[in-house]
Amino acid sequence: MDIAVPSETRPDLSPGAAMHAFMRELFPLCRSITGPGLRETIQRIAGRIPLQVHEVPSGTDVLDWTVPDEWTIRAARIESLDGRTLVDFRDSTLHVVGYSRPVDAVLPRAELARHVHTLPDKPDLIPYHTGYFANSWGFCVTHRLWESMTDDAYRVVIDSTLAPGSLTYGDLLVPGESTDEVLIHAHCCHPSLANDNLSGIAVATWLAQRVLAQGGLRRPRRLSYRFVFVPATIGAITWLARNEPTLDRIRHGLVLTCVGDPGGFHYKRSRRGDAVIDRAVAQVCRDRGISLDVRPFRPTGYDERQYGSPGFDLPVGCFMRSPDRGFPEYHTSADNLDLVRPEALEESYEVLGEVLDLLEADRVWRRVDGRGEPQLGRRGLYRLLSAQQGAACQESLLWVLNLADGTRSLLDMAEHSGLSFRELRDAAALAAEAGLIVETA
Amino acid sequence: MDIAVPSETRPDLSPGAAMHAFMRELFPLCRSITGPGLRETIQRIAGRIPLQVHEVPSGTDVLDWTVPDEWTIRAARIESLDGRTLVDFRDSTLHVVGYSRPVDAVLPRAELARHVHTLPDKPDLIPYHTGYFANSWGFCVTHRLWESMTDDAYRVVIDSTLAPGSLTYGDLLVPGESTDEVLIHAHCCHPSLANDNLSGIAVATWLAQRVLAQGGLRRPRRLSYRFVFVPATIGAITWLARNEPTLDRIRHGLVLTCVGDPGGFHYKRSRRGDAVIDRAVAQVCRDRGISLDVRPFRPTGYDERQYGSPGFDLPVGCFMRSPDRGFPEYHTSADNLDLVRPEALEESYEVLGEVLDLLEADRVWRRVDGRGEPQLGRRGLYRLLSAQQGAACQESLLWVLNLADGTRSLLDMAEHSGLSFRELRDAAALAAEAGLIVETA
Amino acid sequence: MDIAVPSETRPDLSPGAAMHAFMRELFPLCRSITGPGLRETIQRIAGRIPLQVHEVPSGTDVLDWTVPDEWTIRAARIESLDGRTLVDFRDSTLHVVGYSRPVDAVLPRAELARHVHTLPDKPDLIPYHTGYFANSWGFCVTHRLWESMTDDAYRVVIDSTLAPGSLTYGDLLVPGESTDEVLIHAHCCHPSLANDNLSGIAVATWLAQRVLAQGGLRRPRRLSYRFVFVPATIGAITWLARNEPTLDRIRHGLVLTCVGDPGGFHYKRSRRGDAVIDRAVAQVCRDRGISLDVRPFRPTGYDERQYGSPGFDLPVGCFMRSPDRGFPEYHTSADNLDLVRPEALEESYEVLGEVLDLLEADRVWRRVDGRGEPQLGRRGLYRLLSAQQGAACQESLLWVLNLADGTRSLLDMAEHSGLSFRELRDAAALAAEAGLIVETA
């Protein structure tokens, strides 16, 4: 596969096209929960945002787990006995089962069959399998190919190493005025699968760039932002173990996965169910008039399970387009760069950007003097001629002035009034400017 | 317009007809937020119930507002240059925009057009407009008339005064055993509009008469009742400012408006949403088998906005038949004495009377000894022969005896059991008489 | 009627058939709120489970009531004046109105009619009536028979005694490790009516046998179980009065009635509405895939009214198949041993058995260390090869590990996750065995 031209040399690209190009760069790398593919991927992300890259030695205890040995895959193929290569890892990283131990043997077909995975009902697709603790080996091939392999025996070669090394991950903290953190998480341990989860990696990277571009003296960021790029499960557990002292700063979090296909948006609530992040995602979709399929928390799925384990119970939801197992290409070779569309990535990026903006802008307001409505006219907040078809007083301004009693945030007000967050935020800015409301500490 | 014969000289009238006749008296007066029309109206109400009439000088600070100059309108007309009067305030008080400053000028039609309001889609109706702070002037006419006025120029005369004076309002406190207050509010600042709000004025006045007629040594009123007749917004704010020390006595309140048209009942909840008054109005309509369209609180509409401002948050809802903007005659010359029907006024009056009765009768009860059911038979509370088709024990009595645990009022019991408030009230009286329950302080 | 062979001599019977046979034994006895029929019935139950039998003297004060005189009925008949017996108590215990005082008289038909009850719309059925405090007498006959009795006069004989004696009841406490009690109640005061409530008596008796058979050194019962067999109302009140000091041990309770007809299950919630027993009954029916018609508490019906009186407010619901007044045979001679089916009794018994098992097994769990998911593989709790079509981790195990935060019981977890109580209980056992969770005190 070609090494794509890094998209930073092409400033004319829309964010969606640029993210897609970044995914194209990363697609051929054979990621796993450890190893050179993961390491290279983390480095490439670090080439775009100032990640701290961490290496955690195999054997390190992390909560109830232990960082495993590192897996390096150099080659893997199945040959016919007359030397033709029938299956080659260089054609697709999906061909070798993750964490396959080294093999160099001639095997009868029947024995080989015990190590070959196919999808009989999708005969042209290669499935995705891993065996992190299996201490075994395997290949994934199309069912069509497997059925055409009718020899009595084959030679299998897997040139891999499983040995003490380290697990790689990257994280980035963008500090704000407050130590309260928004966590954005993308898992990085899948080989050549685009939606799951190069799409999450790309969107998370672009959100980090967006956050870094905001802020500055003129408008400092209120919240801090933490971006975490880790292999799933063991990586999340490692990150949690190494950041325990500051986990209580995480006020809102999102696991990003499968955000690039053309399907509708799905959101899985945090374990708490009614955390601000759960409400914020729903509010933004309502405000944008896009449908959102909201599902309750379940302890299956992605790393929201680790953040939402009972000892942490962090307010972290999972944001997706088509959900895991909810699209037919899931965990097959059909989850490729054609499935993922630039415009779908871009929409995910924009929705999430608006969610972050909401979290930034959400405040609790209180009237300086809440007795009666204020006289808006003399403050230039009211058109002077009251007409029959409704006063020119913005309804949003009246809502803010009515609900600002020191107990309600703008998000509360949006949910209560049915107006959009943006309208209420703008009305609150107007009211604050006029000295009618102040922020509650 | 004729001065209608005061209805107190006609004792044969039903309440509905009497209220309609009172509205007929008041209809021709040109009310505004200040001025002789408002003052005369308050005095006429004071002729029927013992209102305290207050005059608050222009320039008085009231919360965030200031009492404006007083507006007096003596004449207003548009003449053709050959002396014919085309539009005359004496034909309808709606013809002049409220708070129009004096004018005596000849103007080109195009210039006059900037000061004329019509309803193109309702060509035979005169709209209602005010310009309290506009420092301008204007006329309202039928679109049909305006289209027929094709001269190049017209003479406009508005003989009005805008000068320091006072704002008039009236209130009445009918004390009861408790200082807890029920507030009934009607705004009085609209000129010749019947439903909005001569209907509210009439019904409020008749409710005050009803409350005054109740009470006395034999059955003293439990609650106190406060009737407030004010110009909208500035009047409510003035009243709130001048009664701040005792506002915490207000336990239940209703703003009455548009209660005379034949439409169905609408109720807008207090800001709290679940105050006793909100529940009481719903309960009475359920008990009477009439439909009630309940809407949540919004900071638009009438003076419930002032009572429900965050610094006060008083439990005051808004009771209407067709809601503001919910009937086509709203704020036009079609909101007249034909739109408002005596039987609709009377029904509103009866429903509200039953709401007041509920508030009076609502108590928290507790069993003297709540262990097991009491033996009803020996107290004459049970028919002696238990029959197959249900015991003769009233279900309401059993509900009261079961729910009276010192935490539930009769209204709680009605909502919980699905029975009517009246049934439970009567059963509670029976049980109290038998010494089985006592009121909880 | 035949005296049925006691079913304990027929070990081949299914529980349903055995319960039906027990009902057949009891059916002919003329039970009332006191008297030999009730006494004999309690003794027969005591022949199967180790009941304590109590006799409470007439005149004893019990809460607001007084134990009445005892009623003994020996004979009752209506004869034609020429000596033919037309109505005989020996044909059906329903023929005489409960608590009829003695009578030996010749009466005109018209006078007799005042003491005769029929069901004109069900002309072949004998209704059921009582007159505990009526100080009167009466007969119940089929309407068909009454209409055929056209003589001018009849002789009526009721050979009964109403005199100080005692009220009989039986209860059984099966102690467990905890003093927390589960109460099972069946009323025993109806004569020859099968569903109401010989079915409740039979099922309660068999549940007591089930509870007694459980327990022992290997698996001691956690909860204590209290079985109460009383005449309705006065019996429940008597039991409550005599057990007041320990009523606060009752954590869950069920009144059993009409549990033998083929209708669907109905459940009436405790007064609290959301007690564990209310949730447990619903959960078991969900888990068994059977429909349950759940109704809110009402202070009418059976003795849940006494347990649910405000001075006690015990968490006691009422479990039924067809509810009282919900089947056409209710309180008529058609409520007989053909209406009640062995398989319906058995299903009721099994559902209730599963409810008791749920109460026994319900615990609050907490993770020993709740930070992150535990590594299941090394504990043998995870199949080693993660496959595309879902991990082999039982979802129930993941739910337990996620929800076990010391605040949730297994029943909470079942309601929250949508999984069955049994699955979660088994997963919790597995997790506890692996040392991952412990019970919260």
PDB file of all heavy atoms in Angstrom, chain A residues 95 117-127 140-148 328 332-334:
ATOM      1  N   HIS A  95      -4.911 -10.649   8.045  1.00  0.00           N
ATOM      2  CA  HIS A  95      -4.692 -12.069   7.772  1.00  0.00           C
ATOM      3  C   HIS A  95      -4.141 -12.840   8.966  1.00  0.00           C
ATOM      4  O   HIS A  95      -4.424 -14.034   9.094  1.00  0.00           O
ATOM      5  CB  HIS A  95      -3.744 -12.239   6.580  1.00  0.00           C
ATOM      6  CG  HIS A  95      -4.439 -12.158   5.251  1.00  0.00           C
ATOM      7  ND1 HIS A  95      -5.607 -12.836   4.968  1.00  0.00           N
ATOM      8  CD2 HIS A  95      -4.102 -11.484   4.118  1.00  0.00           C
ATOM      9  CE1 HIS A  95      -5.980 -12.583   3.718  1.00  0.00           C
ATOM     10  NE2 HIS A  95      -5.076 -11.762   3.165  1.00  0.00           N
ATOM     11  N   HIS A 117      -9.754 -18.816  10.337  1.00  0.00           N
ATOM     12  CA  HIS A 117     -11.071 -18.235  10.570  1.00  0.00           C
ATOM     13  C   HIS A 117     -11.589 -17.615   9.281  1.00  0.00           C
ATOM     14  O   HIS A 117     -10.856 -16.889   8.597  1.00  0.00           O
ATOM     15  CB  HIS A 117     -10.991 -17.147  11.645  1.00  0.00           C
ATOM     16  CG  HIS A 117     -10.368 -17.622  12.925  1.00  0.00           C
ATOM     17  ND1 HIS A 117     -11.102 -18.208  13.927  1.00  0.00           N
ATOM     18  CD2 HIS A 117      -9.077 -17.617  13.332  1.00  0.00           C
ATOM     19  CE1 HIS A 117     -10.278 -18.537  14.921  1.00  0.00           C
ATOM     20  NE2 HIS A 117      -9.045 -18.186  14.594  1.00  0.00           N
ATOM     21  N   THR A 118     -12.838 -17.931   8.948  1.00  0.00           N
ATOM     22  CA  THR A 118     -13.469 -17.316   7.788  1.00  0.00           C
ATOM     23  C   THR A 118     -14.884 -16.888   8.175  1.00  0.00           C
ATOM     24  O   THR A 118     -15.353 -17.170   9.290  1.00  0.00           O
ATOM     25  CB  THR A 118     -13.571 -18.295   6.602  1.00  0.00           C
ATOM     26  OG1 THR A 118     -14.555 -19.307   6.928  1.00  0.00           O
ATOM     27  CG2 THR A 118     -12.240 -18.956   6.303  1.00  0.00           C
ATOM     28  N   LEU A 119     -15.583 -16.209   7.254  1.00  0.00           N
ATOM     29  CA  LEU A 119     -16.993 -15.830   7.434  1.00  0.00           C
ATOM     30  C   LEU A 119     -17.785 -16.488   6.317  1.00  0.00           C
ATOM     31  O   LEU A 119     -17.906 -15.932   5.218  1.00  0.00           O
ATOM     32  CB  LEU A 119     -17.149 -14.312   7.354  1.00  0.00           C
ATOM     33  CG  LEU A 119     -16.501 -13.497   8.474  1.00  0.00           C
ATOM     34  CD1 LEU A 119     -16.417 -12.024   8.080  1.00  0.00           C
ATOM     35  CD2 LEU A 119     -17.278 -13.668   9.766  1.00  0.00           C
ATOM     36  N   PRO A 120     -18.311 -17.683   6.569  1.00  0.00           N
ATOM     37  CA  PRO A 120     -19.025 -18.391   5.498  1.00  0.00           C
ATOM     38  C   PRO A 120     -20.160 -17.573   4.897  1.00  0.00           C
ATOM     39  O   PRO A 120     -20.435 -17.691   3.697  1.00  0.00           O
ATOM     40  CB  PRO A 120     -19.554 -19.645   6.194  1.00  0.00           C
ATOM     41  CG  PRO A 120     -18.618 -19.853   7.351  1.00  0.00           C
ATOM     42  CD  PRO A 120     -18.227 -18.476   7.795  1.00  0.00           C
ATOM     43  N   ASP A 121     -20.828 -16.732   5.683  1.00  0.00           N
ATOM     44  CA  ASP A 121     -21.955 -15.968   5.135  1.00  0.00           C
ATOM     45  C   ASP A 121     -21.498 -14.667   4.465  1.00  0.00           C
ATOM     46  O   ASP A 121     -22.319 -13.953   3.884  1.00  0.00           O
ATOM     47  CB  ASP A 121     -22.984 -15.694   6.250  1.00  0.00           C
ATOM     48  CG  ASP A 121     -22.376 -14.964   7.418  1.00  0.00           C
ATOM     49  OD1 ASP A 121     -21.232 -15.274   7.806  1.00  0.00           O
ATOM     50  OD2 ASP A 121     -23.043 -14.045   7.946  1.00  0.00           O
ATOM     51  N   LYS A 122     -20.197 -14.352   4.564  1.00  0.00           N
ATOM     52  CA  LYS A 122     -19.659 -13.190   3.850  1.00  0.00           C
ATOM     53  C   LYS A 122     -18.365 -13.638   3.194  1.00  0.00           C
ATOM     54  O   LYS A 122     -17.257 -13.283   3.615  1.00  0.00           O
ATOM     55  CB  LYS A 122     -19.385 -12.046   4.848  1.00  0.00           C
ATOM     56  CG  LYS A 122     -20.632 -11.533   5.560  1.00  0.00           C
ATOM     57  CD  LYS A 122     -20.292 -10.448   6.585  1.00  0.00           C
ATOM     58  CE  LYS A 122     -21.522 -10.078   7.401  1.00  0.00           C
ATOM     59  NZ  LYS A 122     -21.243  -9.074   8.452  1.00  0.00           N
ATOM     60  N   PRO A 123     -18.475 -14.452   2.132  1.00  0.00           N
ATOM     61  CA  PRO A 123     -17.336 -15.222   1.629  1.00  0.00           C
ATOM     62  C   PRO A 123     -16.187 -14.391   1.060  1.00  0.00           C
ATOM     63  O   PRO A 123     -15.094 -14.916   0.896  1.00  0.00           O
ATOM     64  CB  PRO A 123     -17.958 -16.108   0.537  1.00  0.00           C
ATOM     65  CG  PRO A 123     -19.255 -15.457   0.187  1.00  0.00           C
ATOM     66  CD  PRO A 123     -19.716 -14.736   1.389  1.00  0.00           C
ATOM     67  N   ASP A 124     -16.426 -13.093   0.820  1.00  0.00           N
ATOM     68  CA  ASP A 124     -15.335 -12.274   0.286  1.00  0.00           C
ATOM     69  C   ASP A 124     -14.684 -11.376   1.337  1.00  0.00           C
ATOM     70  O   ASP A 124     -13.828 -10.557   0.983  1.00  0.00           O
ATOM     71  CB  ASP A 124     -15.875 -11.396  -0.861  1.00  0.00           C
ATOM     72  CG  ASP A 124     -16.292 -12.266  -2.038  1.00  0.00           C
ATOM     73  OD1 ASP A 124     -15.459 -13.098  -2.484  1.00  0.00           O
ATOM     74  OD2 ASP A 124     -17.460 -12.140  -2.477  1.00  0.00           O
ATOM     75  N   LEU A 125     -15.064 -11.536   2.538  1.00  0.00           N
ATOM     76  CA  LEU A 125     -14.510 -10.690   3.596  1.00  0.00           C
ATOM     77  C   LEU A 125     -13.586 -11.482   4.511  1.00  0.00           C
ATOM     78  O   LEU A 125     -13.803 -12.659   4.792  1.00  0.00           O
ATOM     79  CB  LEU A 125     -15.624 -10.058   4.433  1.00  0.00           C
ATOM     80  CG  LEU A 125     -16.633  -9.198   3.681  1.00  0.00           C
ATOM     81  CD1 LEU A 125     -17.568  -8.495   4.665  1.00  0.00           C
ATOM     82  CD2 LEU A 125     -15.937  -8.165   2.793  1.00  0.00           C
ATOM     83  N   ILE A 126     -12.545 -10.793   4.973  1.00  0.00           N
ATOM     84  CA  ILE A 126     -11.617 -11.365   5.943  1.00  0.00           C
ATOM     85  C   ILE A 126     -12.098 -10.933   7.328  1.00  0.00           C
ATOM     86  O   ILE A 126     -12.266  -9.737   7.574  1.00  0.00           O
ATOM     87  CB  ILE A 126     -10.184 -10.827   5.738  1.00  0.00           C
ATOM     88  CG1 ILE A 126      -9.730 -11.005   4.286  1.00  0.00           C
ATOM     89  CG2 ILE A 126      -9.212 -11.491   6.714  1.00  0.00           C
ATOM     90  CD1 ILE A 126      -8.483 -10.185   3.952  1.00  0.00           C
ATOM     91  N   PRO A 127     -12.294 -11.867   8.246  1.00  0.00           N
ATOM     92  CA  PRO A 127     -12.682 -11.466   9.600  1.00  0.00           C
ATOM     93  C   PRO A 127     -11.482 -10.946  10.396  1.00  0.00           C
ATOM     94  O   PRO A 127     -10.340 -11.088   9.985  1.00  0.00           O
ATOM     95  CB  PRO A 127     -13.220 -12.766  10.220  1.00  0.00           C
ATOM     96  CG  PRO A 127     -12.519 -13.838   9.496  1.00  0.00           C
ATOM     97  CD  PRO A 127     -12.225 -13.328   8.102  1.00  0.00           C
ATOM     98  N   CYS A 140      -6.661 -15.410   9.311  1.00  0.00           N
ATOM     99  CA  CYS A 140      -8.011 -15.061   8.859  1.00  0.00           C
ATOM    100  C   CYS A 140      -7.956 -14.880   7.349  1.00  0.00           C
ATOM    101  O   CYS A 140      -7.094 -14.162   6.837  1.00  0.00           O
ATOM    102  CB  CYS A 140      -8.480 -13.772   9.522  1.00  0.00           C
ATOM    103  SG  CYS A 140      -8.668 -13.905  11.324  1.00  0.00           S
ATOM    104  N   VAL A 141      -8.861 -15.548   6.655  1.00  0.00           N
ATOM    105  CA  VAL A 141      -8.884 -15.446   5.199  1.00  0.00           C
ATOM    106  C   VAL A 141     -10.330 -15.355   4.734  1.00  0.00           C
ATOM    107  O   VAL A 141     -11.261 -15.611   5.496  1.00  0.00           O
ATOM    108  CB  VAL A 141      -8.179 -16.656   4.533  1.00  0.00           C
ATOM    109  CG1 VAL A 141      -6.743 -16.766   5.031  1.00  0.00           C
ATOM    110  CG2 VAL A 141      -8.958 -17.934   4.814  1.00  0.00           C
ATOM    111  N   THR A 142     -10.496 -15.028   3.451  1.00  0.00           N
ATOM    112  CA  THR A 142     -11.856 -15.051   2.913  1.00  0.00           C
ATOM    113  C   THR A 142     -12.313 -16.497   2.802  1.00  0.00           C
ATOM    114  O   THR A 142     -11.512 -17.398   2.547  1.00  0.00           O
ATOM    115  CB  THR A 142     -11.941 -14.386   1.532  1.00  0.00           C
ATOM    116  OG1 THR A 142     -11.272 -15.223   0.573  1.00  0.00           O
ATOM    117  CG2 THR A 142     -11.350 -12.983   1.552  1.00  0.00           C
ATOM    118  N   HIS A 143     -13.585 -16.688   2.981  1.00  0.00           N
ATOM    119  CA  HIS A 143     -14.125 -18.054   2.871  1.00  0.00           C
ATOM    120  C   HIS A 143     -13.962 -18.580   1.466  1.00  0.00           C
ATOM    121  O   HIS A 143     -13.698 -19.778   1.255  1.00  0.00           O
ATOM    122  CB  HIS A 143     -15.594 -18.068   3.292  1.00  0.00           C
ATOM    123  CG  HIS A 143     -16.115 -19.444   3.544  1.00  0.00           C
ATOM    124  ND1 HIS A 143     -15.676 -20.220   4.594  1.00  0.00           N
ATOM    125  CD2 HIS A 143     -17.023 -20.199   2.888  1.00  0.00           C
ATOM    126  CE1 HIS A 143     -16.301 -21.385   4.577  1.00  0.00           C
ATOM    127  NE2 HIS A 143     -17.125 -21.414   3.541  1.00  0.00           N
ATOM    128  N   ARG A 144     -14.079 -17.691   0.501  1.00  0.00           N
ATOM    129  CA  ARG A 144     -13.928 -18.114  -0.893  1.00  0.00           C
ATOM    130  C   ARG A 144     -12.526 -18.693  -1.110  1.00  0.00           C
ATOM    131  O   ARG A 144     -12.376 -19.742  -1.733  1.00  0.00           O
ATOM    132  CB  ARG A 144     -14.153 -16.911  -1.807  1.00  0.00           C
ATOM    133  CG  ARG A 144     -14.288 -17.290  -3.287  1.00  0.00           C
ATOM    134  CD  ARG A 144     -14.540 -16.055  -4.148  1.00  0.00           C
ATOM    135  NE  ARG A 144     -15.715 -15.311  -3.749  1.00  0.00           N
ATOM    136  CZ  ARG A 144     -16.984 -15.678  -4.036  1.00  0.00           C
ATOM    137  NH1 ARG A 144     -17.220 -16.780  -4.714  1.00  0.00           N
ATOM    138  NH2 ARG A 144     -17.995 -14.929  -3.619  1.00  0.00           N
ATOM    139  N   LEU A 145     -11.514 -18.000  -0.581  1.00  0.00           N
ATOM    140  CA  LEU A 145     -10.152 -18.499  -0.742  1.00  0.00           C
ATOM    141  C   LEU A 145      -9.994 -19.830  -0.016  1.00  0.00           C
ATOM    142  O   LEU A 145      -9.437 -20.795  -0.571  1.00  0.00           O
ATOM    143  CB  LEU A 145      -9.142 -17.486  -0.183  1.00  0.00           C
ATOM    144  CG  LEU A 145      -7.681 -17.990  -0.179  1.00  0.00           C
ATOM    145  CD1 LEU A 145      -7.187 -18.168  -1.614  1.00  0.00           C
ATOM    146  CD2 LEU A 145      -6.777 -17.018   0.581  1.00  0.00           C
ATOM    147  N   TRP A 146     -10.485 -19.894   1.178  1.00  0.00           N
ATOM    148  CA  TRP A 146     -10.310 -21.120   1.963  1.00  0.00           C
ATOM    149  C   TRP A 146     -10.924 -22.308   1.241  1.00  0.00           C
ATOM    150  O   TRP A 146     -10.369 -23.397   1.207  1.00  0.00           O
ATOM    151  CB  TRP A 146     -10.911 -20.963   3.357  1.00  0.00           C
ATOM    152  CG  TRP A 146     -10.824 -22.190   4.206  1.00  0.00           C
ATOM    153  CD1 TRP A 146     -11.828 -22.974   4.667  1.00  0.00           C
ATOM    154  CD2 TRP A 146      -9.610 -22.822   4.642  1.00  0.00           C
ATOM    155  NE1 TRP A 146     -11.355 -24.046   5.375  1.00  0.00           N
ATOM    156  CE2 TRP A 146      -9.991 -23.971   5.382  1.00  0.00           C
ATOM    157  CE3 TRP A 146      -8.234 -22.547   4.489  1.00  0.00           C
ATOM    158  CZ2 TRP A 146      -9.057 -24.841   5.964  1.00  0.00           C
ATOM    159  CZ3 TRP A 146      -7.321 -23.408   5.065  1.00  0.00           C
ATOM    160  CH2 TRP A 146      -7.718 -24.545   5.798  1.00  0.00           C
ATOM    161  N   GLU A 147     -12.079 -22.096   0.663  1.00  0.00           N
ATOM    162  CA  GLU A 147     -12.738 -23.200  -0.032  1.00  0.00           C
ATOM    163  C   GLU A 147     -11.965 -23.619  -1.270  1.00  0.00           C
ATOM    164  O   GLU A 147     -12.054 -24.775  -1.698  1.00  0.00           O
ATOM    165  CB  GLU A 147     -14.172 -22.804  -0.394  1.00  0.00           C
ATOM    166  CG  GLU A 147     -15.070 -22.698   0.824  1.00  0.00           C
ATOM    167  CD  GLU A 147     -16.523 -22.869   0.479  1.00  0.00           C
ATOM    168  OE1 GLU A 147     -17.000 -22.170  -0.456  1.00  0.00           O
ATOM    169  OE2 GLU A 147     -17.191 -23.707   1.122  1.00  0.00           O
ATOM    170  N   SER A 148     -11.183 -22.658  -1.812  1.00  0.00           N
ATOM    171  CA  SER A 148     -10.408 -23.023  -3.008  1.00  0.00           C
ATOM    172  C   SER A 148      -9.087 -23.697  -2.624  1.00  0.00           C
ATOM    173  O   SER A 148      -8.379 -24.220  -3.471  1.00  0.00           O
ATOM    174  CB  SER A 148     -10.110 -21.758  -3.819  1.00  0.00           C
ATOM    175  OG  SER A 148      -9.083 -21.020  -3.185  1.00  0.00           O
ATOM    176  N   PRO A 328     -22.704  -3.909   9.039  1.00  0.00           N
ATOM    177  CA  PRO A 328     -22.320  -5.246   8.561  1.00  0.00           C
ATOM    178  C   PRO A 328     -20.811  -5.413   8.313  1.00  0.00           C
ATOM    179  O   PRO A 328     -20.314  -6.538   8.320  1.00  0.00           O
ATOM    180  CB  PRO A 328     -23.105  -5.416   7.257  1.00  0.00           C
ATOM    181  CG  PRO A 328     -23.533  -4.038   6.866  1.00  0.00           C
ATOM    182  CD  PRO A 328     -23.623  -3.225   8.100  1.00  0.00           C
ATOM    183  N   THR A 332     -14.439  -6.659   9.936  1.00  0.00           N
ATOM    184  CA  THR A 332     -14.076  -7.395   8.729  1.00  0.00           C
ATOM    185  C   THR A 332     -13.253  -6.475   7.833  1.00  0.00           C
ATOM    186  O   THR A 332     -13.169  -5.258   8.081  1.00  0.00           O
ATOM    187  CB  THR A 332     -15.307  -7.847   7.909  1.00  0.00           C
ATOM    188  OG1 THR A 332     -15.844  -6.707   7.208  1.00  0.00           O
ATOM    189  CG2 THR A 332     -16.405  -8.459   8.772  1.00  0.00           C
ATOM    190  N   SER A 333     -12.722  -7.065   6.786  1.00  0.00           N
ATOM    191  CA  SER A 333     -11.947  -6.295   5.818  1.00  0.00           C
ATOM    192  C   SER A 333     -12.795  -5.254   5.090  1.00  0.00           C
ATOM    193  O   SER A 333     -12.264  -4.389   4.400  1.00  0.00           O
ATOM    194  CB  SER A 333     -11.296  -7.239   4.810  1.00  0.00           C
ATOM    195  OG  SER A 333     -12.284  -8.096   4.250  1.00  0.00           O
ATOM    196  N   ALA A 334     -14.109  -5.342   5.230  1.00  0.00           N
ATOM    197  CA  ALA A 334     -14.959  -4.334   4.598  1.00  0.00           C
ATOM    198  C   ALA A 334     -15.015  -3.042   5.416  1.00  0.00           C
ATOM    199  O   ALA A 334     -15.530  -2.030   4.950  1.00  0.00           O
ATOM    200  CB  ALA A 334     -16.370  -4.883   4.403  1.00  0.00           C
TER     201      ALA A 334
END
